[in-house]
């Protein structure tokens, strides 16, 4: 079996799925779900991760030719990304659940997935003024999925580079 063709095929499949999901995200309301069970952002997260992994595997023959000292720098960069994104993962989940808990205590809202998905990050007026009102409310569901995606991409990057080094 030709693994190069399979890797390329899967890479392009996941990139196409990612683009389709991005179109759905941009054209539908936040609560839209595919088949009424999964949000497009979930498919986007999964397909981007798989596309990233297969993309790296396609590049493996060229990356294997890179000097090992450069590979070490790539590994260090990968750990830096893990550190930076892990903080964002903790922050968004902490904010998400604290905000949700406060809303439940205040409003007596029912604790379920739909009400949790509706929690957003509302930047302060001061922060909004500093950035000329470029900030809007941000869905914490989407933010968490993005942060987890980047976190796992960073982990896979380190794994990939380490496998090249050895």
């Amino acid at each position: 079996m030709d693994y190069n063709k399979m890797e390329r095929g899967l890479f392009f499949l996941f990139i196409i799925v990612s683009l389709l999901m991005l179109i759905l995200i941009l054209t539908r309301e936040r609560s839209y779900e595919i088949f009424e069970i999964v949000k497009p952002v979930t498919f986007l997260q999964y397909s981007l991760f798989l596309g990233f992994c297969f993309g790296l595997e396609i590049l493996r023959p060229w990356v294997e030719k890179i000097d090992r000292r450069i590979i070490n720098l790539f590994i260090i960069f990968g750990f830096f990304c893990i550190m930076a994104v892990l903080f964002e993962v903790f922050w968004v989940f902490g904010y998400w659940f604290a905000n949700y808990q406060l809303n439940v205590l205040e409003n007596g809202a029912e604790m379920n997935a739909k009400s949790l998905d509706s929690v957003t990050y509302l930047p302060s007026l001061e922060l909004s003024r500093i950035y000329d009102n470029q900030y809007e409310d941000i869905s914490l569901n989407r933010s968490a999925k993005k942060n987890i995606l980047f976190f796992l991409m960073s982990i896979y990057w380190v794994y990939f580079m380490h496998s090249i080094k050895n």
Side-chain angles (χ1 to χ4, degrees), residues 41-107:
V41 71
T42 302
F43 277 121
L44 179 66
Q45 178 190 31
Y46 298 164
S47 59
L48 279 175
F49 176 74
L50 291 169
F52 175 77
C53 294
F54 284 111
L56 284 179
E57 291 303 327
I58 291 168
L59 296 175
R60 182 178 286 274
W62 293 283
V63 176
E64 287 176 340
K65 296 175 184 172
I66 297 174
D67 185 86
R68 298 298 175 241
R69 290 174 290 186
I70 302 296
I71 296 293
N72 283 338
L73 293 176
F74 285 154
I75 291 171
I76 291 168
F77 174 74
F79 275 110
F80 170 77
C81 290
I82 289 170
M83 176 197 66
V85 176
L86 185 59
F87 171 81
E88 297 301 325
V89 168
F90 287 149
W91 185 90
V92 77
F93 278 108
Y95 185 87
W96 191 3
F97 290 115
N99 191 4
Y100 176 70
Q101 186 63 33
L102 289 173
N103 285 339
V104 168
L105 291 174
E106 255 181 45
N107 304 329

Coordinates of all heavy atoms in Angstrom, one line a residue, residues 41-107:
V41 N -17.8 23.7 15.0 CA -16.5 24.0 15.6 C -15.8 22.7 16.1 O -14.6 22.6 16.1 CB -16.6 25.1 16.7 CG1 -17.3 24.6 17.9 CG2 -15.2 25.7 17.0
T42 N -16.6 21.8 16.5 CA -16.0 20.5 17.0 C -15.4 19.8 15.8 O -14.3 19.3 15.9 CB -17.1 19.6 17.6 OG1 -17.7 20.4 18.7 CG2 -16.6 18.3 18.2
F43 N -16.1 19.7 14.7 CA -15.6 19.1 13.5 C -14.3 19.8 13.0 O -13.4 19.2 12.5 CB -16.6 19.0 12.4 CG -17.5 17.8 12.5 CD1 -18.9 18.0 12.6 CD2 -17.0 16.5 12.4 CE1 -19.8 16.9 12.6 CE2 -17.9 15.4 12.5 CZ -19.3 15.6 12.6
L44 N -14.4 21.2 13.1 CA -13.2 22.0 12.7 C -12.0 21.6 13.5 O -10.9 21.4 13.0 CB -13.6 23.5 12.8 CG -12.4 24.4 12.4 CD1 -12.1 24.3 11.0 CD2 -12.8 25.8 12.8
Q45 N -12.2 21.5 14.8 CA -11.1 21.2 15.8 C -10.5 19.8 15.4 O -9.3 19.7 15.3 CB -11.7 21.1 17.2 CG -10.6 20.8 18.2 CD -11.2 20.5 19.6 OE1 -12.4 20.1 19.7 NE2 -10.5 20.8 20.6
Y46 N -11.4 18.8 15.2 CA -10.9 17.5 14.9 C -10.2 17.4 13.6 O -9.1 16.8 13.4 CB -12.0 16.5 14.9 CG -12.7 16.3 16.2 CD1 -14.0 15.7 16.3 CD2 -12.2 16.8 17.4 CE1 -14.7 15.6 17.5 CE2 -12.9 16.7 18.6 CZ -14.1 16.0 18.7 OH -14.8 15.9 19.8
S47 N -10.8 18.0 12.5 CA -10.2 17.9 11.2 C -8.9 18.7 11.1 O -8.0 18.3 10.4 CB -11.2 18.4 10.2 OG -11.7 19.7 10.4
L48 N -8.8 19.9 11.8 CA -7.6 20.7 11.7 C -6.5 19.9 12.4 O -5.3 19.9 11.9 CB -7.8 22.0 12.4 CG -8.4 23.1 11.5 CD1 -8.6 24.4 12.3 CD2 -7.6 23.4 10.3
F49 N -6.8 19.2 13.5 CA -5.7 18.5 14.2 C -5.2 17.3 13.3 O -4.0 17.1 13.1 CB -6.2 17.9 15.5 CG -5.2 17.0 16.2 CD1 -4.1 17.6 16.8 CD2 -5.3 15.7 16.2 CE1 -3.1 16.8 17.4 CE2 -4.4 14.9 16.8 CZ -3.2 15.4 17.4
L50 N -6.2 16.6 12.7 CA -5.8 15.5 11.9 C -5.1 16.0 10.6 O -4.1 15.4 10.2 CB -7.0 14.6 11.5 CG -7.6 13.8 12.7 CD1 -8.9 13.2 12.4 CD2 -6.6 12.8 13.2
G51 N -5.5 17.1 10.1 CA -4.8 17.6 8.9 C -3.4 18.1 9.2 O -2.5 17.8 8.5
F52 N -3.2 18.6 10.4 CA -1.9 19.1 10.9 C -1.0 17.8 11.0 O 0.1 17.8 10.5 CB -2.0 19.8 12.2 CG -0.7 20.1 12.9 CD1 0.0 21.2 12.4 CD2 -0.2 19.4 13.9 CE1 1.2 21.6 13.0 CE2 1.0 19.7 14.5 CZ 1.7 20.8 14.1
C53 N -1.5 16.8 11.6 CA -0.7 15.6 11.8 C -0.3 14.9 10.5 O 0.9 14.6 10.3 CB -1.4 14.6 12.7 SG -1.7 15.1 14.4
F54 N -1.3 14.8 9.6 CA -1.0 14.2 8.3 C -0.1 15.1 7.5 O 0.8 14.6 6.7 CB -2.3 13.8 7.6 CG -2.9 12.6 8.1 CD1 -4.1 12.6 8.8 CD2 -2.3 11.3 7.9 CE1 -4.7 11.5 9.3 CE2 -2.8 10.2 8.5 CZ -4.0 10.2 9.1
G55 N -0.2 16.4 7.6 CA 0.6 17.4 6.9 C 2.1 17.2 7.4 O 3.0 17.2 6.5
L56 N 2.3 17.0 8.7 CA 3.7 16.8 9.1 C 4.2 15.5 8.6 O 5.4 15.4 8.2 CB 3.7 16.8 10.7 CG 3.6 18.2 11.4 CD1 3.6 18.0 12.9 CD2 4.7 19.1 10.9
E57 N 3.4 14.5 8.6 CA 3.9 13.2 8.1 C 4.2 13.3 6.6 O 5.2 12.6 6.1 CB 2.8 12.1 8.3 CG 2.6 11.7 9.8 CD 3.9 11.3 10.5 OE1 4.8 10.6 9.8 OE2 4.1 11.5 11.7
I58 N 3.5 14.1 5.8 CA 3.9 14.3 4.4 C 5.2 14.9 4.3 O 6.0 14.6 3.4 CB 2.8 15.1 3.7 CG1 1.5 14.3 3.6 CG2 3.3 15.6 2.4 CD1 0.3 15.2 3.2
L59 N 5.5 15.8 5.3 CA 6.8 16.6 5.2 C 8.0 15.8 5.9 O 9.1 16.2 5.8 CB 6.7 17.9 6.0 CG 5.7 18.9 5.4 CD1 5.5 20.1 6.3 CD2 6.1 19.3 4.0
R60 N 7.7 14.6 6.4 CA 8.7 13.9 7.1 C 10.0 13.6 6.3 O 11.1 13.9 6.9 CB 8.1 12.5 7.6 CG 9.2 11.7 8.4 CD 8.6 10.4 8.9 NE 7.7 10.6 10.0 CZ 8.0 10.6 11.3 NH1 9.3 10.6 11.6 NH2 7.1 10.8 12.2
P61 N 9.9 13.2 5.1 CA 11.2 13.0 4.3 C 12.1 14.3 4.3 O 13.3 14.1 4.3 CB 10.7 12.6 2.9 CG 9.3 12.1 3.1 CD 8.8 12.9 4.3
W62 N 11.5 15.4 4.2 CA 12.3 16.7 4.1 C 12.8 17.1 5.5 O 13.9 17.5 5.6 CB 11.5 17.8 3.5 CG 11.2 17.5 2.0 CD1 12.1 17.7 1.0 CD2 10.0 17.0 1.5 NE1 11.5 17.3 -0.2 CE2 10.2 16.9 0.1 CE3 8.8 16.7 2.0 CZ2 9.2 16.5 -0.8 CZ3 7.8 16.2 1.2 CH2 8.0 16.1 -0.2
V63 N 12.0 16.9 6.5 CA 12.3 17.2 7.9 C 13.5 16.4 8.4 O 14.3 16.8 9.1 CB 11.1 17.2 8.8 CG1 11.5 17.5 10.2 CG2 10.0 18.2 8.3
E64 N 13.5 15.1 7.9 CA 14.6 14.2 8.4 C 15.9 14.6 7.9 O 16.9 14.2 8.5 CB 14.2 12.7 7.9 CG 13.1 12.1 8.6 CD 12.7 10.7 8.1 OE1 13.0 10.4 6.9 OE2 12.1 10.0 8.8
K65 N 16.0 15.5 6.9 CA 17.3 15.9 6.4 C 17.8 17.1 7.2 O 19.0 17.6 7.0 CB 17.1 16.3 4.9 CG 16.8 15.1 4.0 CD 16.5 15.6 2.6 CE 16.1 14.4 1.8 NZ 15.7 14.7 0.4
I66 N 17.0 17.7 8.1 CA 17.4 18.9 8.8 C 18.4 18.5 9.9 O 18.3 17.4 10.5 CB 16.2 19.6 9.5 CG1 15.2 20.1 8.4 CG2 16.6 20.7 10.4 CD1 13.9 20.6 8.9
D67 N 19.4 19.3 10.1 CA 20.4 19.0 11.2 C 19.8 18.8 12.5 O 18.8 19.5 12.9 CB 21.4 20.3 11.2 CG 22.5 20.0 12.2 OD1 23.5 19.5 11.7 OD2 22.4 20.5 13.3
R68 N 20.3 17.9 13.3 CA 19.7 17.5 14.6 C 19.7 18.7 15.6 O 18.8 18.8 16.4 CB 20.5 16.4 15.2 CG 20.5 15.1 14.4 CD 19.0 14.6 14.3 NE 18.9 13.4 13.4 CZ 18.2 13.4 12.3 NH1 17.6 14.5 11.9 NH2 18.1 12.3 11.6
R69 N 20.7 19.6 15.5 CA 20.6 20.8 16.4 C 19.5 21.7 16.1 O 18.9 22.3 17.0 CB 22.0 21.6 16.3 CG 23.1 20.8 16.9 CD 24.4 21.5 16.6 NE 24.7 21.3 15.2 CZ 25.8 21.7 14.6 NH1 26.8 22.3 15.3 NH2 26.0 21.6 13.3
I70 N 19.1 21.8 14.8 CA 17.9 22.6 14.4 C 16.7 21.9 15.0 O 15.7 22.5 15.4 CB 17.8 22.8 12.9 CG1 19.1 23.5 12.4 CG2 16.5 23.5 12.5 CD1 19.2 24.9 12.9
I71 N 16.6 20.5 14.9 CA 15.5 19.8 15.4 C 15.4 20.0 16.9 O 14.3 20.2 17.4 CB 15.7 18.2 15.1 CG1 15.7 17.9 13.6 CG2 14.6 17.4 15.8 CD1 14.4 18.2 12.9
N72 N 16.5 20.1 17.6 CA 16.4 20.4 19.0 C 15.8 21.8 19.3 O 15.0 22.0 20.2 CB 17.8 20.4 19.7 CG 18.4 19.1 19.9 OD1 17.6 18.1 20.0 ND2 19.7 18.9 20.0
L73 N 16.1 22.8 18.4 CA 15.5 24.1 18.5 C 14.0 24.0 18.3 O 13.2 24.6 18.9 CB 16.1 25.1 17.6 CG 17.6 25.4 17.8 CD1 18.1 26.4 16.7 CD2 17.7 26.1 19.2
F74 N 13.6 23.2 17.3 CA 12.1 23.0 17.0 C 11.4 22.3 18.2 O 10.3 22.6 18.6 CB 11.9 22.1 15.8 CG 12.2 22.8 14.5 CD1 12.6 22.0 13.4 CD2 12.0 24.1 14.3 CE1 12.8 22.7 12.2 CE2 12.2 24.8 13.1 CZ 12.6 24.0 12.0
I75 N 12.1 21.4 18.9 CA 11.6 20.8 20.1 C 11.4 21.8 21.2 O 10.4 21.9 21.9 CB 12.4 19.6 20.6 CG1 12.3 18.4 19.5 CG2 12.0 19.1 22.0 CD1 13.3 17.3 19.8
I76 N 12.4 22.6 21.4 CA 12.3 23.7 22.4 C 11.1 24.6 22.1 O 10.3 25.0 23.0 CB 13.6 24.5 22.5 CG1 14.7 23.6 23.1 CG2 13.5 25.8 23.3 CD1 16.1 24.1 23.0
F77 N 11.0 25.0 20.8 CA 9.9 25.9 20.4 C 8.6 25.2 20.7 O 7.6 25.8 21.1 CB 10.0 26.2 18.9 CG 8.8 26.9 18.3 CD1 8.6 28.2 18.6 CD2 7.9 26.2 17.6 CE1 7.5 28.9 18.1 CE2 6.8 26.9 17.0 CZ 6.6 28.2 17.3
G78 N 8.5 23.9 20.5 CA 7.3 23.1 20.7 C 6.9 23.1 22.2 O 5.7 23.3 22.6
F79 N 7.9 23.0 23.1 CA 7.6 23.0 24.5 C 7.2 24.4 24.9 O 6.3 24.6 25.8 CB 8.8 22.6 25.3 CG 8.9 21.1 25.5 CD1 9.8 20.3 24.9 CD2 8.0 20.4 26.3 CE1 9.9 18.9 25.0 CE2 8.0 19.0 26.5 CZ 9.0 18.3 25.8
F80 N 7.8 25.5 24.3 CA 7.3 26.8 24.6 C 5.9 27.0 24.2 O 5.1 27.6 25.0 CB 8.2 27.8 23.8 CG 7.6 29.2 23.8 CD1 7.8 30.0 25.0 CD2 6.9 29.7 22.8 CE1 7.3 31.3 25.0 CE2 6.4 31.0 22.8 CZ 6.6 31.8 23.9
C81 N 5.5 26.4 23.1 CA 4.1 26.5 22.6 C 3.2 25.8 23.6 O 2.1 26.2 24.0 CB 3.9 26.0 21.2 SG 4.6 27.0 20.0
I82 N 3.6 24.6 24.1 CA 2.8 23.8 25.1 C 2.6 24.7 26.3 O 1.5 24.8 26.8 CB 3.5 22.5 25.4 CG1 3.5 21.5 24.2 CG2 2.9 21.9 26.7 CD1 4.3 20.3 24.4
M83 N 3.7 25.3 26.8 CA 3.6 26.1 28.0 C 2.6 27.3 27.8 O 1.7 27.5 28.6 CB 4.9 26.7 28.4 CG 4.9 27.6 29.6 SD 6.4 28.7 29.7 CE 6.3 29.7 28.3
A84 N 2.7 28.0 26.7 CA 1.9 29.2 26.4 C 0.4 28.8 26.3 O -0.5 29.4 26.9 CB 2.4 29.9 25.2
V85 N 0.2 27.7 25.5 CA -1.2 27.3 25.3 C -1.8 26.7 26.5 O -3.0 26.8 26.7 CB -1.3 26.5 24.0 CG1 -2.7 26.0 23.8 CG2 -0.8 27.2 22.8
L86 N -1.1 26.0 27.3 CA -1.6 25.3 28.5 C -2.2 26.4 29.4 O -3.2 26.2 30.0 CB -0.6 24.4 29.2 CG -1.1 23.6 30.4 CD1 -2.2 22.7 29.9 CD2 0.1 22.8 31.0
F87 N -1.5 27.5 29.6 CA -2.0 28.6 30.4 C -3.4 29.0 29.9 O -4.3 29.2 30.6 CB -1.0 29.8 30.4 CG -1.7 31.0 31.1 CD1 -1.7 31.1 32.4 CD2 -2.3 32.0 30.3 CE1 -2.3 32.2 33.1 CE2 -2.9 33.0 30.9 CZ -2.9 33.1 32.3
E88 N -3.5 29.2 28.5 CA -4.7 29.6 27.9 C -5.8 28.6 28.2 O -7.0 28.9 28.4 CB -4.6 29.9 26.4 CG -3.6 31.0 26.1 CD -4.0 32.4 26.7 OE1 -5.2 32.6 26.8 OE2 -3.1 33.1 27.1
V89 N -5.5 27.3 28.1 CA -6.5 26.2 28.4 C -7.0 26.4 29.8 O -8.2 26.4 30.0 CB -5.8 24.9 28.1 CG1 -6.7 23.8 28.7 CG2 -5.6 24.6 26.7
F90 N -6.1 26.5 30.8 CA -6.5 26.6 32.2 C -7.3 27.9 32.4 O -8.3 27.9 33.0 CB -5.3 26.6 33.1 CG -4.6 25.3 33.3 CD1 -3.3 25.2 33.5 CD2 -5.4 24.1 33.2 CE1 -2.6 24.0 33.7 CE2 -4.7 22.9 33.3 CZ -3.4 22.8 33.6
W91 N -6.9 29.0 31.8 CA -7.6 30.3 31.9 C -9.0 30.2 31.4 O -10.0 30.6 32.1 CB -6.9 31.4 31.3 CG -7.5 32.7 31.5 CD1 -7.2 33.6 32.6 CD2 -8.5 33.3 30.8 NE1 -8.0 34.7 32.5 CE2 -8.8 34.6 31.4 CE3 -9.3 33.0 29.7 CZ2 -9.8 35.4 31.0 CZ3 -10.3 33.9 29.2 CH2 -10.5 35.1 29.9
V92 N -9.2 29.7 30.2 CA -10.5 29.7 29.6 C -11.5 28.8 30.3 O -12.6 29.1 30.6 CB -10.5 29.4 28.1 CG1 -10.3 27.9 27.8 CG2 -11.7 29.9 27.4
F93 N -11.0 27.6 30.8 CA -11.8 26.7 31.5 C -12.2 27.3 32.9 O -13.3 27.1 33.3 CB -11.2 25.3 31.6 CG -11.5 24.5 30.4 CD1 -10.4 24.2 29.5 CD2 -12.8 24.0 30.1 CE1 -10.7 23.4 28.4 CE2 -13.0 23.2 28.9 CZ -11.9 23.0 28.1
G94 N -11.2 27.9 33.5 CA -11.5 28.5 34.8 C -12.5 29.6 34.7 O -13.4 29.7 35.5
Y95 N -12.3 30.5 33.7 CA -13.3 31.6 33.5 C -14.6 31.0 33.1 O -15.6 31.5 33.6 CB -12.7 32.5 32.4 CG -13.6 33.7 32.2 CD1 -13.4 34.9 32.9 CD2 -14.6 33.7 31.3 CE1 -14.1 36.0 32.8 CE2 -15.4 34.9 31.1 CZ -15.2 36.0 31.8 OH -15.9 37.1 31.7
W96 N -14.6 30.0 32.2 CA -15.9 29.5 31.7 C -16.7 28.9 32.9 O -17.9 29.3 33.1 CB -15.5 28.4 30.7 CG -16.6 27.8 29.9 CD1 -17.9 28.2 29.9 CD2 -16.5 26.8 29.0 NE1 -18.7 27.4 29.0 CE2 -17.8 26.5 28.4 CE3 -15.5 26.0 28.5 CZ2 -18.0 25.6 27.4 CZ3 -15.7 25.0 27.6 CH2 -17.0 24.8 27.0
F97 N -16.1 28.1 33.7 CA -16.9 27.5 34.8 C -17.2 28.4 35.9 O -18.3 28.3 36.5 CB -16.2 26.2 35.3 CG -16.2 25.1 34.2 CD1 -15.1 24.6 33.6 CD2 -17.4 24.5 33.9 CE1 -15.1 23.6 32.7 CE2 -17.5 23.5 32.9 CZ -16.4 23.1 32.3
A98 N -16.3 29.3 36.2 CA -16.6 30.3 37.3 C -17.8 31.2 36.8 O -18.7 31.5 37.6 CB -15.4 31.2 37.5
N99 N -17.7 31.7 35.6 CA -18.8 32.5 35.0 C -20.1 31.7 35.0 O -21.1 32.3 35.4 CB -18.4 33.0 33.6 CG -19.3 34.1 33.1 OD1 -20.2 34.5 33.8 ND2 -19.1 34.5 31.9
Y100 N -20.0 30.5 34.6 CA -21.2 29.7 34.5 C -21.8 29.5 35.9 O -23.0 29.6 36.1 CB -20.9 28.4 33.9 CG -22.1 27.4 33.8 CD1 -23.2 27.7 33.0 CD2 -22.1 26.3 34.6 CE1 -24.3 26.8 33.0 CE2 -23.2 25.4 34.6 CZ -24.3 25.7 33.8 OH -25.4 24.9 33.8
Q101 N -21.0 29.2 36.9 CA -21.4 29.0 38.2 C -22.1 30.2 38.8 O -23.1 30.2 39.4 CB -20.3 28.5 39.1 CG -20.7 28.1 40.5 CD -21.6 26.9 40.5 OE1 -21.5 26.0 39.7 NE2 -22.5 26.9 41.5
L102 N -21.5 31.4 38.5 CA -22.1 32.6 39.0 C -23.5 32.9 38.3 O -24.4 33.3 39.0 CB -21.2 33.8 38.7 CG -19.9 33.9 39.5 CD1 -19.0 35.0 39.0 CD2 -20.3 34.1 41.0
N103 N -23.6 32.5 37.0 CA -24.9 32.7 36.3 C -25.9 31.7 36.9 O -27.1 32.1 37.1 CB -24.7 32.4 34.9 CG -24.1 33.6 34.1 OD1 -24.0 34.7 34.6 ND2 -23.5 33.3 33.0
V104 N -25.5 30.6 37.3 CA -26.4 29.6 37.9 C -26.9 30.1 39.2 O -28.1 30.1 39.5 CB -25.8 28.2 38.0 CG1 -26.6 27.3 38.8 CG2 -25.6 27.6 36.6
L105 N -25.9 30.6 40.0 CA -26.3 31.1 41.4 C -27.2 32.3 41.3 O -28.1 32.5 42.0 CB -25.0 31.4 42.2 CG -24.2 30.2 42.6 CD1 -22.9 30.7 43.2 CD2 -25.0 29.3 43.5
E106 N -26.9 33.2 40.3 CA -27.7 34.4 40.1 C -29.1 34.2 39.6 O -30.1 34.7 40.1 CB -26.9 35.4 39.2 CG -26.3 36.5 39.9 CD -25.6 37.4 38.9 OE1 -26.2 37.8 37.8 OE2 -24.5 37.8 39.1
N107 N -29.1 33.4 38.5 CA -30.3 33.3 37.7 C -31.1 32.0 38.0 O -32.2 31.8 37.5 CB -30.1 33.4 36.2 CG -29.3 34.6 35.8 OD1 -29.5 35.7 36.5 ND2 -28.5 34.6 34.8

